[in-house]
Amino acid sequence: MPHRRLISKLRTYGLNETLIEWIRAFLFSRLQKVKINGVVSENKDVLSGIPQGSVLGPLLFIIFNNDLPTICDDVSKMFLFADDAKLYRAISSNSDYNSLNQVCKNVFDWSERWLMKLNVSKCKVLSLLRNKNKVINYNYGFEIPDQGIALLEHDHTVKDLGVLIDSDLSFDNHIYDKINVASKMLGIIKRNFIDLDKTSFLLLCKSLVRSHLEYAGPVWNPHRKGLIKYIESVQRKATKLLRSCRDMSYKSRLISLNLSTLKYRRFRGDMLEVYKILNKLYDPRTAPILELHLDARTRGNSQKLKVERCKYDVRKFSFCNRVVKVWNSLPDNVVTSVSINMFKRNLDNFFIKELIYYDFEADIPGYA
């Protein structure tokens, strides 16, 4: 992030000149040198970048990139998160392809103009297809001066903010990856702690093992029983680390430790997301759309959602559809909770007597 171009953008956005001078004093007149084998280089001016760990760094970076989405056309869209950018567009004709490829070229031109060089090897193309047998003939890329045309690599799996997204949206690769990571963490605990008490075990298990199996759960929550069982096997093994629980059944171990199944935890996460969306705790422009059923004659709670019919499993088991029926079946005192913590407490109290809380093989009525 070049300092002089950053200052020019701050002026363009109308920031107070005194504030701009304060930022200039924070960035400019910095020197750096390198020491190798006891030999120190000459001092060189630092012309770009923000001091690592500063509070201003992320904010200034967002300001610098703020105009990047304006290069898109009316149909192509861009999502930005820190230094990560995603372009997407529905491709149904050569015209759509040409338009999206032009946006790719615009991104490259923007990066050249503002001295934010793209790492082409990290730029990937992911195609989401309904027909798996369809061949992708579209190549995306741009021309790099003195280097020729740089084509972006097609990939079947791309990591986005810690989630592995595959071309058929099954999320199998992500699930297997997280199970492997959680299993490795479980192995570390087993090797370093010979005899754990319940308090220490719960602290280690929740922070080091379960956290990997719950991250972004509403995105990849599986519906196939094989995957559900495979994920649950990690916690099944973990609870056997306690000497006092080894001879118990898995359900009895969970009751003894006051732990719910991982399946219930994912369901609970789904319900929390619905609560946050309906109560506008997320920016409505970025949150999934959940429509309320406004017909007062319907039975159930006062925040019932509209049911949508789905033809394909990918849509049927997606977040916006799988949560509708079970959310509509919740009592009014749960969905109208005045805070997130109260919602969690009311939801747990409502389901703690149900089989799903301690039995991952039990089904939740209406939950896809």
Side-chain angles (χ1 to χ4, degrees), residues 301-318:
N301 62 59
S302 58
Q303 296 192 32
K304 293 190 70 173
L305 301 172
K306 284 186 177 180
V307 179
E308 180 182 349
R309 293 190 177 185
C310 304
K311 184 177 180 180
Y312 298 98
D313 283 352
V314 171
R315 179 64 177 164
K316 177 181 177 182
F317 295 108
S318 65

Side-chain angles (χ1 to χ4, degrees), residues 43 86 103 207 224 231 268 310 332 366:
N43 287 329
K86 295 174 285 293
V103 175
S207 59
R224 301 204 302 274
I231 297 171
R268 184 177 185 260
C310 304
D332 211 53

Side-chain angles (χ1 to χ4, degrees), residues 6 78 88 246 262 279 292 302-303 312:
L6 172 61
M78 176 182 286
Y88 72 93
R246 289 174 185 170
L262 295 177
N279 287 275
L292 289 173
S302 58
Q303 296 192 32
Y312 298 98

Side-chain angles (χ1 to χ4, degrees), residues 63-105:
I63 293 174
F64 192 85
N65 287 350
N66 188 57
D67 65 321
L68 182 54
T70 60
I71 67 174
C72 295
D73 54 34
D74 295 334
V75 180
S76 302
K77 302 295 182 182
M78 176 182 286
F79 284 142
L80 287 177
F81 185 86
D83 62 344
D84 183 79
K86 295 174 285 293
L87 285 171
Y88 72 93
R89 181 184 181 125
I91 305 296
S92 57
S93 65
N94 288 334
S95 176
D96 292 328
Y97 157 70
N98 292 330
S99 297
L100 183 57
N101 197 42
Q102 182 59 50
V103 175
C104 289
K105 295 177 181 178

Side-chain angles (χ1 to χ4, degrees), residues 90-283:
I91 305 296
S92 57
S93 65
N94 288 334
S95 176
D96 292 328
Y97 157 70
N98 292 330
S99 297
L100 183 57
N101 197 42
Q102 182 59 50
V103 175
C104 289
K105 295 177 181 178
N106 294 344
V107 171
F108 176 76
D109 292 340
W110 182 95
S111 68
E112 291 291 302
R113 182 168 63 254
W114 293 103
L115 301 182
M116 296 282 287
K117 301 296 183 180
L118 283 178
N119 187 338
V120 179
S121 64
K122 292 185 177 180
C123 298
K124 306 292 183 181
V125 178
L126 178 67
S127 300
L128 305 178
L129 300 170
R130 183 178 299 166
N131 183 1
K132 295 181 181 180
N133 297 322
K134 185 177 180 180
V135 179
I136 301 299
N137 294 318
Y138 297 130
N139 292 314
Y140 299 87
F142 32 75
E143 185 175 357
I144 301 178
D146 301 326
Q147 296 184 32
I149 302 285
L151 296 179
L152 304 184
E153 180 184 352
H154 284 264
D155 208 337
H156 295 292
T157 305
V158 174
K159 179 171 284 190
D160 181 26
L161 303 181
V163 178
L164 286 171
I165 301 176
D166 49 80
S167 56
D168 58 359
L169 295 180
S170 68
F171 295 101
D172 289 0
N173 293 325
H174 175 80
I175 293 172
Y176 295 141
D177 179 67
K178 292 307 172 184
I179 289 175
N180 289 335
V181 174
S183 298
K184 289 178 182 178
M185 297 307 300
L186 184 59
I188 292 174
I189 295 174
K190 186 176 181 179
R191 288 192 298 271
N192 289 276
F193 297 90
I194 298 175
D195 198 4
L196 286 167
D197 57 27
K198 289 184 179 181
T199 303
S200 300
F201 167 77
L202 290 173
L203 180 63
L204 291 168
C205 183
K206 291 178 180 179
S207 59
L208 300 180
V209 179
R210 197 171 72 179
S211 58
H212 292 286
L213 299 172
E214 293 185 347
Y215 173 72
V219 175
W220 54 265
N221 193 348
H223 64 274
R224 301 204 302 274
K225 291 184 178 181
L227 285 177
I228 294 173
K229 185 177 181 180
Y230 192 27
I231 297 171
E232 202 71 37
S233 66
V234 180
Q235 184 167 269
R236 184 195 295 269
K237 294 176 183 176
T239 52
K240 287 186 176 182
L241 293 180
L242 284 169
R243 191 189 302 269
S244 59
C245 296
R246 289 174 185 170
D247 295 329
M248 300 180 182
S249 65
Y250 178 47
K251 182 177 180 180
S252 299
R253 294 198 296 273
L254 294 180
I255 295 174
S256 174
L257 297 169
N258 194 26
L259 274 177
S260 64
T261 62
L262 295 177
K263 179 180 178 180
Y264 175 78
R265 291 283 301 180
R266 292 192 298 276
F267 159 75
R268 184 177 185 260
D270 278 355
M271 295 301 103
L272 278 172
E273 292 302 306
V274 176
Y275 176 85
K276 292 176 183 178
I277 293 169
L278 294 182
N279 287 275
K280 295 180 172 55
L281 300 181
Y282 292 133
D283 187 335

